[in-house]
Amino acid sequence: MPIDIERFEEGSSRDLRADGRTNAETILTFLAGSPEKAYTPKEIHEATGVARGSVGVVLSRLEDRGLVRHRGEYWAVGDAEDVETTLTALAGSRALSERLGPEDPDEWGPGVESDAERTNE
């Protein structure tokens, strides 16, 4: 979905994520939603909107972690319990970031010190 050019020009990279989810979380959520099916990277791209060039890389990383599996051209969700644990942790982390603010000290604003700055005093 397109965004206003002012938002594009002035928004931080965190603000410019369409829904705050990472590509890995988006793909994993999609695959977990249909555990009885396997998809090609093209189908995953079309269903999730994750950039076509990113889908393969993300799938490979998820496979390294045992969260997805593949045979031939097709990819499917991995162990349901591991996937649920991972998605819950990602959602919790995102919720905390939204509630407590950005992780990047450069985005905290004036007057707020990072842990590293405090320990250098």
Coordinates of all heavy atoms in Angstrom, one line a residue, residues 31 48 98:
L31 N 2.6 -18.8 6.9 CA 2.7 -20.2 6.8 C 2.0 -20.9 8.0 O 1.4 -22.0 7.8 CB 4.2 -20.6 6.7 CG 4.9 -20.2 5.5 CD1 6.4 -20.6 5.6 CD2 4.4 -20.9 4.2
T48 N 1.9 -12.3 1.0 CA 2.4 -11.5 2.1 C 2.8 -10.1 1.7 O 2.9 -9.2 2.6 CB 3.6 -12.2 2.8 OG1 4.7 -12.2 1.9 CG2 3.3 -13.6 3.3
E98 N 6.8 -0.7 21.2 CA 5.8 0.3 20.9 C 5.5 1.0 22.2 O 5.3 2.2 22.2 CB 4.6 -0.3 20.3 CG 4.8 -0.8 18.9 CD 3.6 -1.6 18.4 OE1 2.6 -1.8 19.1 OE2 3.7 -2.1 17.2

